[in-house]
Every structure is written in C-alpha cells, then in structure tokens.
C-alpha cells in the first residue's frame, strides 16, 4: 500500500463515505470529498453542520463511525505518529496556555517539529514581531488567531488543517491571514480550511465543500460551483408578462421583490434576446447585472431550499 | 531527545510562572515546617519537633508537587485545549508524560533540598536513617499522588478540578498524620488515616529519615497499592480534551 500522496493527481486528503455519530446524534452522514496539494479547500457550512467533526477526523482527534479518511495516504488515527510530523493544525480554540509568551510558544513548537523553521521568521510572517514578549491572554482575538496560525506553520506542513482561521479577526488581520494561506498553498501544501464565513471562503477558496445538516450539498472548484449558478438580474419600471418572457428565452425567471432573476445563464446572446423582447413590449430595463452568483447566494439557496 | 527537553523546558516554565503553584510547592511546606518547629503545640512522641515534622513535611511537599501542582496545571491545559494541540505534534503522549514526570522529579529534588536545608538550620542533625528507603518512598509517593492528581485533572472540569485538588490537599494534610501523629485522632479517623496515601507516605518517610515508623510494613503495603492503582485508574479514565 502506498503511504504517501506524492504522485501528481493524488489527493492529499481523501474522505470517503464518512459517517460520524455521537450517541444518537449524527454529526456527519455519508460525506466524500478530496483536497489536493497546492490548493485551498474550504469546508463551508453553518455552525453544527459537521465541519469541525470532519476536520477533527482528518487530524486524528476523532474516531470515525463508518467510511474512511486518508491524509497523505495514511490513516489519521492508526498512523498518527507518522502523520503528526507532516501536518499543521490550527484549532478553533487556540490550544495555547494563557501565560505562554508569543516568542516562547512559537520557538517551542519549532523545537517539537525540528524542521529548522526559525521562530522569528514565522512570527514575522503572521505580523506578531512587535508582540514577541506578550502572553496569549494579552493578545487581541485577531492576534490570538495569528499566533495559532503561526503554530501550524512551524510544522512546515504538507497538509494544513485550519479551523475558523479568520473568526474574530479585523479587516487588516484577515488580509494578512489570507495572504499567509495563499502563500502556504503556493508551496504545495494542501490547505483544508473550515469556516462559516462566506465572504472569507469566496476570497480564499480554490475548491469548496458545502456542508448542510451533516451532509455535503455542493462540492467542486469555486469556479465550477459558481458557473452552475449563472444568472441575469434586472429591475423594470413597467409591468410585463414574466411567463411569456421566460418561455421566449427558455430560462426560468423569478420575481424577487422589485428584482427579476433569469437563472441558469449569463450568456450575451440571451441578454441580446432579452433586450429585444423588453424593447418590443415597451418595458424598460434598469440595473442589469449578469454573471455567476455570489457564493453567499449559492449557499443560501443550497441550505434553505434543501440539498441539490 | 531535543523534543523531550523542549517539552520539559515548557513544563518548568509554566510552573515557574504560576505564583499559586510556587506557593503550594515551596511556600506552604516551608512555612509549616518553620512555624510548628518553633511553636511548641504538637505532640512529637518524644522526638524533637523538627525530627518529628520533617518526614511529614516531605510527604506534604511530594503531595503538593505530584498531585496539586501537576493536577491543576494539567486540568487547565486540558481545558485550554493545550493537550489537544500538543497531540497534533510529533511530541506523542509518551514524551509528554515523561516530560511532566521529569518536571515533577526536578521540582521535588529542589523542594526537598530546600526543606532539608531549612530543617538543618532549625536544628536537625544532617543524617538520614536509610537513604535507599527514602528514595523508594519518594518514588512510590510520587507515583501515587501523580496518579490521583491526573485522575482528577483528566475527568473534572478545570474549575472543579482546582477546588477538588485544594480540598483533597487539605483533607490529606489533616487526616494523613502529616503534621501531628495519627494516634492523636479519634480511633475511626486513625483507621482512615492509615489507609490514606499521605498517612502511609508520612509513615514510611519517618521510617526512612528517623527510623520511627509507627506502622512499618502496613504503610508500605498501603503506599504500594496507591502507587499502582492510582496511575492505572488515571490511565483508564483520563480524557485528553
């Protein structure tokens, strides 16, 4: 059996038909996805959707009820000793003693991994060089998140699991964390990032896995997920026959308050036909926008209307 | 080896930064030793106060470090997810436990040297009846109290663990024949005291330091039981996060 995922195209993280139950509660139900080297895979979903359970199964913290998880070809629980040398972890709740100083805790973790990572450089990467002597409890929420991220970097990881890395972080801090994550992926690391922040996911993700009620409701590259959700949005000051327009264009049209949405296309030819039809029927067009839906809209559609 | 030393350094740093732990480890045993050796209120079974007190104070010091200090620190580490985070590094549970054990041993050596030096300054003659027995008693006592401390740290919430460790410390101090002889207690409590790890440790330390053990072999059996059963129970029930 291969123990590494070094060949091109192998997924660094392979989750197959994963089921996780705690007593009578099913946290994860038949979930499958892959995460690849050099890409940022964002696991997205509301609180309680199963993101952290899945990530913790990948990190080896939790046993799986059924299905399988492989990280770099290894079983996260059985091969934990080998795997811990190769993965970086950022816990949702830090995992740092309140009286530990920034410089000391990073140097400590550099020693634990023993990969020649220089503590001062990691601290500089996350922008905490002015806080080296500060204790964890004296750091702001954003600084605490950056220190947690720094600890993941000390592993010089092949796979990094980051749980809610931008939670509670201000705008500038987010930019920095995003840049660090992108840079990490550019070194060939497979970054698996769990978040419930849609905007963050849209800015960071190469691939997106959307969780809802313990199941995956969308899984693919950000581009492919968005491309399935093209639309044309517009307003009109004059009433028109919506059903007739939909029939003419051969695309469904939804009336959403004062806005109309032609779903499933943003094609220029369709926009041309639409303009002609509206002009012919004496209806004006205002605020015309065409393109892929925002991730937020896709997420809302998938998680309020049931799985697709 | 460098991983182990890195963790050991971190363990000692956490203890050194924690003023409450330093108070429990050094302050309370030293204060009790000095106070009761100067104030003639304790029955000392014909011994000088310092000769009577020192073995019990050694037992108290071992209890402070191996149970209270280790237990409270580990409980908070568990609550802050420090143990969980370390579990995702190459450190491993074995090296983590070894580093914690070494930190406890180093601190015990330091506190026993300090307490012995204080005792000598207060009039104790600098001789120990049986050094090998003393080392064996310290080893067994450390295992027993570390097991109790980690059992509580690994099963209780951090705040409850903090209160429980301090409460148990006081109980073992009062009922364990540490400051005054067990035969000064009402008879039912004497029997309880003999079965407590603090009572057994104080008695075997009396045998090792001043050759005045009251229950001899019985105390060794009681201490050995605690030294085996407490770590085994802690291992079975300890939850890392």
């Amino acid at each position: 059996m291969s123990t590494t995922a070094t060949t091109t195209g192998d997924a660094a993280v392979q989750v197959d038909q994963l089921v996780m139950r705690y007593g009578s509660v099913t946290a994860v139900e038949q979930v499958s996805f892959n995460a690849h080297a050099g890409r940022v895979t964002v696991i997205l979903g509301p609180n309680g959707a199963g993101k952290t359970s899945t990530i913790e199964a990948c990190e080896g913290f939790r046993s799986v009820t059924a299905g399988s998880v492989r990280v770099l070809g290894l079983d996260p629980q059985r091969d934990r000793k080998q795997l811990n040398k190769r993965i970086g972890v950022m816990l949702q709740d830090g995992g740092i003693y309140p009286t530990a100083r920034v410089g000391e805790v990073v140097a400590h973790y550099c020693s634990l991994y023993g990969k020649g990572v220089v503590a001062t450089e990691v601290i500089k990467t996350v922008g905490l060089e002015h806080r080296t002597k500060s204790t964890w409890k004296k750091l702001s929420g954003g600084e605490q998140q950056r220190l947690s991220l720094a600890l993941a970097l000390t592993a010089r990881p092949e796979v990094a699991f980051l749980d809610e890395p931008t939670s509670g972080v201000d705008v500038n801090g987010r930019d920095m964390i995003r840049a660090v994550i992108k840079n990490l992926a550019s070194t060939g690391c497979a970054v698996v990032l769990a978040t419930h922040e849609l905007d963050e996911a849209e800015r960071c993700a190469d691939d997106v896995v959307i969780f809802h009620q313990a199941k995956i409701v969308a899984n693919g590259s950000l581009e492919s997920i968005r491309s399935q959700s093209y639309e044309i949005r517009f307003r009109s000051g004059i009433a028109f026959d919506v059903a007739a327009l939909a029939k003419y264009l051969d695309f469904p049209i939804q009336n959403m308050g004062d806005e109309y949405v032609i779903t499933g296309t943003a094609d220029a030819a369709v926009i041309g036909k639409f303009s002609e039809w509206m002009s012919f029927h004496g209806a004006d067009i205002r605020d015309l926008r065409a393109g892929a839906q925002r991730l937020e809209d896709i997420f809302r559609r998938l998680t309020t209307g049931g799985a697709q | 080896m460098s991983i182990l030393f890195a963790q050991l350094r971190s363990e000692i740093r956490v203890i050194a930064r924690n003023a409450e732990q330093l108070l429990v480890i050094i302050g309370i045993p030293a204060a009790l030793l000095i106070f009761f050796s100067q104030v003639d209120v304790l029955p000392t079974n014909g011994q000088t106060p310092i000769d009577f007190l020192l073995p019990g104070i050694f037992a108290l010091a071992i209890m402070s470090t191996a149970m209270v200090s280790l237990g409270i620190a580990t409980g908070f580490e568990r609550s802050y997810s420090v143990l969980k985070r370390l579990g995702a590094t190459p450190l491993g549970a074995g090296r983590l436990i070894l580093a914690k054990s070494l930190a406890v041993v180093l601190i015990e050596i330091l506190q026993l040297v300090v307490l012995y030096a204080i005792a000598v300054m207060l009039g104790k003659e600098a001789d120990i009846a049986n050094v090998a027995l003393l080392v064996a008693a310290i080893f067994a006592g450390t295992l027993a109290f570390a097991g109790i401390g980690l059992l509580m740290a690994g099963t209780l919430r951090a705040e409850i663990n903090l209160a429980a460790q301090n409460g148990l410390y006081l109980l073992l101090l009062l009922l364990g024949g540490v400051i005054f002889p067990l035969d000064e207690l009402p008879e039912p409590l004497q029997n309880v005291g003999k079965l407590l790890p603090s009572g057994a440790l104080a008695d075997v330390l009396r045998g090792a330091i001043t050759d005045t053990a009251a229950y001899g072999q019985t105390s060794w059996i009681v201490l050995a039981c605690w030294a085996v059963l407490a770590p085994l129970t802690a291992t079975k029930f300890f939850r890392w996060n």
Side-chain angles (χ1 to χ4, degrees):
Chain A
M1 188 187 85
S2 167
T3 55
T4 55
T6 51
T7 49
T8 309
D10 277 359
V13 179
Q14 296 167 299
V15 177
D16 186 27
Q17 298 293 310
L18 175 66
V19 178
M20 297 182 72
R21 293 200 179 94
Y22 310 123
S24 61
V25 177
T26 300
V28 178
E29 179 70 44
Q30 299 277 328
V31 158
S32 301
F33 69 92
N34 291 338
H36 296 272
R39 294 179 73 81
V40 179
T41 302
V42 171
I43 299 180
L44 188 63
N47 292 330
K51 307 185 300 289
T52 296
S53 289
T54 302
I55 278 215
E56 292 198 342
C58 295
E59 291 164 337
F61 287 131
R62 291 185 188 276
S63 305
V64 306
T65 308
S68 76
V69 175
R70 290 288 177 275
V71 178
L72 299 168
L74 300 167
D75 182 310
Q77 287 219 311
R78 196 187 58 216
D79 307 314
R80 193 160 188 189
K81 200 173 169 185
Q82 284 172 270
L83 202 54
N84 280 350
K85 295 174 186 167
R86 301 170 66 186
I87 65 170
V89 167
M90 178 180 177
L91 297 182
Q92 195 171 356
D93 46 2
I96 297 167
Y97 209 81
T99 57
R101 296 185 198 281
V102 171
E104 289 168 356
V105 72
V106 176
H108 178 212
Y109 272 73
C110 285
S111 301
L112 294 182
Y113 286 103
K115 291 186 175 174
V117 174
V118 179
T120 49
E121 286 178 13
V122 176
I123 292 168
K124 196 174 171 189
T125 301
V126 298
L128 289 176
E129 61 271 32
H130 62 296
R131 302 288 265 156
T132 308
K133 292 193 187 308
S134 300
T135 57
W136 164 264
K137 65 183 175 188
K138 295 264 174 73
L139 299 177
S140 69
E143 288 171 333
Q144 288 181 343
Q145 291 293 83
R146 278 144 64 187
L147 178 55
S148 295
L149 179 60
L151 298 191
L153 300 180
T154 60
R156 196 173 281 158
E158 292 168 61
V159 180
F161 295 103
L162 314 177
D163 202 352
E164 303 284 359
T166 53
S167 178
V169 182
D170 63 19
V171 175
N172 292 336
R174 279 167 188 252
D175 288 344
M176 172 168 284
I177 288 175
R178 214 175 291 130
V180 171
I181 290 168
K182 285 283 181 191
N183 189 46
L184 188 60
S186 74
T187 64
C189 175
V191 179
V192 180
L193 184 160
T195 185
H196 65 276
E197 296 179 12
L198 296 154
D199 186 46
E200 205 51 45
E202 189 140 35
R203 287 163 185 257
C204 270
D206 294 310
D207 299 309
V208 178
V209 182
I210 300 179
F211 275 64
H212 180 54
Q213 293 175 347
K215 292 180 179 171
I216 289 177
V217 292
N219 177 12
S221 71
L222 178 63
E223 199 46 49
S224 70
I225 285 179
R226 292 184 71 201
S227 69
Q228 292 163 16
S229 308
Y230 282 119
E231 63 181 18
I232 300 164
R233 284 175 180 258
F234 65 97
R235 289 189 174 85
S236 178
I238 295 167
F240 61 93
D241 186 343
V242 177
L245 174 60
K247 191 175 178 189
Y248 175 70
L249 296 176
D250 202 20
F251 285 101
I253 302 176
Q254 291 173 282
N255 187 346
M256 301 175 78
D258 63 342
E259 195 172 48
Y260 298 93
V261 182
I262 305 170
T263 54
T265 182
D267 193 80
V270 177
I271 294 170
K273 281 177 72 178
F274 158 66
S275 300
E276 278 174 24
W277 191 92
M278 293 292 277
S279 174
F280 183 77
H281 290 86
D284 63 339
I285 300 171
R286 298 176 192 168
D287 303 329
L288 177 67
R289 287 172 291 141
Q293 281 184 346
R294 290 175 306 157
L295 196 52
E296 187 175 336
D297 297 322
I298 298 167
F299 181 79
R300 282 221 178 92
R301 180 168 52 79
L302 292 173
T303 58
T304 55
Q308 287 200 345
Chain B
M1 195 60 99
S2 61
I3 294 179
L4 178 65
F5 282 129
Q7 188 58 33
L8 177 59
R9 200 165 53 229
S10 171
E11 297 288 340
I12 290 173
R13 195 185 288 134
V14 168
I15 294 169
R17 288 242 173 88
N18 198 326
E20 302 90 70
Q21 286 197 44
L22 288 177
L23 179 71
V24 170
I25 290 168
I26 299 282
I28 292 176
L32 290 175
L33 180 64
I34 294 166
F35 182 81
F36 285 112
S37 66
Q38 301 303 304
V39 181
D40 189 17
V41 292
L42 294 176
T44 56
N45 290 344
Q47 294 176 274
T48 64
I50 200 72
D51 277 331
F52 172 77
L53 278 170
L54 189 62
I57 294 295
F58 268 26
L60 183 68
I62 291 164
M63 189 163 76
S64 308
T65 304
M67 186 181 81
V68 183
S69 174
L70 176 67
I72 290 176
T74 306
F76 277 109
E77 283 175 352
R78 188 170 150 255
S79 127
Y80 295 131
S81 298
V82 174
L83 298 181
K84 183 178 178 181
R85 181 63 190 84
L86 286 171
T89 70
L91 176 65
R95 271 189 291 231
L96 175 67
I97 291 166
L98 189 55
K100 284 188 177 295
S101 308
L102 286 173
V104 166
V105 168
L106 288 175
I107 288 161
E108 281 180 353
I109 290 171
L110 174 71
Q111 65 183 158
L112 296 185
V113 166
V114 168
L115 291 170
Y116 200 77
I118 292 172
V120 170
M121 282 189 282
L122 294 172
K124 165 101 182 84
E125 290 181 12
D127 58 339
I128 288 173
N130 190 328
V131 174
L133 271 186
L134 174 66
V135 173
I138 292 170
F139 179 71
T142 302
L143 276 178
F145 286 113
I148 296 168
L150 290 176
L151 175 63
M152 292 162 76
T155 51
L156 302 175
R157 271 184 39 222
E159 296 76 11
I160 295 171
N161 174 53
L162 175 68
Q165 298 271 3
N166 285 316
L168 186 61
Y169 177 73
L170 194 61
L171 191 75
L172 292 174
L173 168 67
L174 294 176
L175 294 184
V178 172
I179 299 294
F180 46 84
L182 276 180
D183 53 21
E184 294 295 318
L185 294 172
E187 198 171 332
L189 288 181
Q190 280 182 36
N191 294 329
V192 173
K194 283 179 210 168
L195 296 175
L196 293 176
S198 54
L201 179 60
D203 196 49
V204 299
L205 284 170
R206 283 199 179 95
I209 297 173
T210 53
D211 203 11
T212 56
Y215 309 105
Q217 216 166 15
T218 309
S219 295
W220 270 109
I221 292 167
V222 170
L223 184 62
C225 287
W226 280 102
V228 172
L229 293 177
L232 284 178
T233 314
T235 307
K236 183 168 172 56
F237 292 105
F238 193 92
R239 294 195 306 268
W240 290 86
N241 54 72

